[in-house]
Amino acid sequence: MLPIAMTLALTAVLQAQAPAPAPAPDLSDPEVAHVAVTANSIDIDMAKLVPSHTTNAAVRQFATTMITDHTAVNAQAGALATKLGVTPKDNAVSESLQTGATSARASLEPLHGAAFDRAYMDHEVGYHQAVLDAIDKLLVPTTENAELRKLLVDVRPAIATHLEHAKHLRSQLAAPARTGK
Amino acid sequence: MIVGLLLLLAGLTAPPKTHTVEIRGMEFHPAVLTVAVGDTIVWINRDIVPHTATAKGQTRWDTGQLVQGQVWRYVARRAGAARYVCTFHPTMHGKVVIR
């Protein structure tokens, strides 16, 4: 089973705030923008692995859509940041996302064919669920600028659709092979 | 009687209408659209991400990729019904009924 490190990283951030009064990471708007851009870039980079690791047409089409959609969102985020005069600022959440992505990528890279398909789609299900949770529980509540908040809200349905698409595709793939572990 | 005939003819030759399907929030609005033969349907993408509206089955029409703000027009020539999807996001469905 693929260690979904990035999902775990996001989940850890979110769970840290689960006991009611525990403080959410108090992100500034430039930090929120950085998290959003990082999250999109991570999924673009992951999708770029796909063509060299599988011939499954549906998985490849999904990856193409991820590249197209997350690139479009990042372009919009970049345009908004420019308009608002905001320079995205690196922060602990972005760094934990990046660390998780590096780990997830290392797990995916040795895989090919059906094993890659399952691991990649498992990753995409976990990743999009974690991003949805982050939008709802972390990013939207902490964002001060109304336009930046609206962008996050506008992006949410796309993430939810990606999640449903990923779940459907994953369910179409054969059960994971036993690894003996 | 002549006036009545004229009114009847006017009714029969009612000008075609234009109907708009907005793509927003990863959905087609309205999801089901009923039009008359001769009417025009316009799809417009309001979302950040690109979409298509692509007919399934025997009906052949396809908006191709619509980026944000882009529109595509289709004139309903023949009666019938067609379901369509976004090929990028197969969970998005719509239907056109032409009467």
Side-chain angles (χ1 to χ4, degrees):
Chain A
M1 180 86 184
L2 173 74
I4 308 174
M6 181 163 36
T7 305
L8 294 177
L10 260 181
T11 304
V13 168
L14 296 170
Q15 284 177 344
Q17 47 180 316
D26 189 16
L27 300 178
S28 65
D29 285 2
E31 289 172 331
V32 168
H34 197 279
V35 170
V37 170
T38 302
N40 281 301
S41 299
I42 284 169
D43 207 43
I44 292 167
D45 289 345
M46 213 64 82
K48 286 179 179 173
L49 275 180
V50 171
S52 59
H53 286 70
T54 182
T55 55
N56 184 306
V59 173
R60 290 176 74 134
Q61 173 63 54
F62 177 86
T64 300
T65 298
M66 293 309 103
I67 292 170
T68 303
D69 287 4
H70 289 288
T71 299
V73 172
N74 263 358
Q76 195 97 352
L80 179 59
T82 301
K83 178 186 167 190
L84 299 176
V86 167
T87 303
K89 186 181 174 195
D90 200 1
N91 59 87
V93 176
S94 291
E95 283 169 15
S96 86
L97 281 175
Q98 201 59 62
T99 303
T102 302
S103 170
R105 190 182 174 90
S107 300
L108 283 170
E109 269 183 334
L111 304 175
H112 290 273
F116 175 86
D117 295 341
R118 289 189 295 268
Y120 173 65
M121 295 315 306
D122 276 342
H123 173 269
E124 291 300 293
V125 169
Y127 172 83
H128 284 93
Q129 183 62 64
V131 170
L132 270 189
D133 290 345
I135 288 173
D136 293 342
K137 297 173 186 170
L138 175 63
L139 300 179
V140 169
T142 199
T143 301
E144 292 180 11
N145 181 276
E147 286 185 80
L148 181 55
R149 194 164 55 243
K150 181 178 184 306
L151 176 63
L152 295 166
V153 170
D154 286 348
V155 166
R156 191 190 190 286
I159 304 299
T161 298
H162 292 171
L163 176 61
E164 289 313 304
H165 190 176
K167 282 181 177 174
H168 176 73
L169 259 183
R170 181 62 185 89
S171 73
Q172 304 290 102
L173 300 172
R178 290 184 179 278
T179 60
K181 289 182 183 176
Chain B
M1 180 162 172
I2 292 173
V3 171
L5 188 60
L6 287 174
L7 285 174
L8 180 62
L9 285 172
L12 290 174
T13 58
K17 293 179 180 173
T18 297
H19 308 263
T20 300
V21 178
E22 281 194 46
I23 311 173
R24 57 181 153 81
M26 309 300 281
E27 292 176 343
F28 298 106
H29 298 273
V32 179
L33 177 66
T34 301
V35 305
V37 171
D39 286 357
T40 296
I41 306 167
V42 176
W43 279 266
I44 180 164
N45 181 12
R46 304 279 191 203
D47 274 342
I48 296 169
V49 301
H51 292 295
T52 78
T54 306
K56 296 169 70 178
Q58 294 181 332
T59 310
R60 302 276 178 203
W61 48 260
D62 185 359
T63 64
Q65 175 172 291
L66 298 177
V67 299
Q68 188 176 32
Q70 198 170 359
V71 301
W72 189 78
R73 289 178 170 77
Y74 174 73
V75 178
R77 300 282 184 205
R78 282 184 296 181
R83 294 183 185 279
Y84 64 93
V85 296
C86 170
T87 55
F88 303 149
H89 310 103
T91 56
M92 294 173 61
H93 298 273
K95 184 178 180 183
V96 168
V97 179
I98 303 169
R99 293 199 167 131

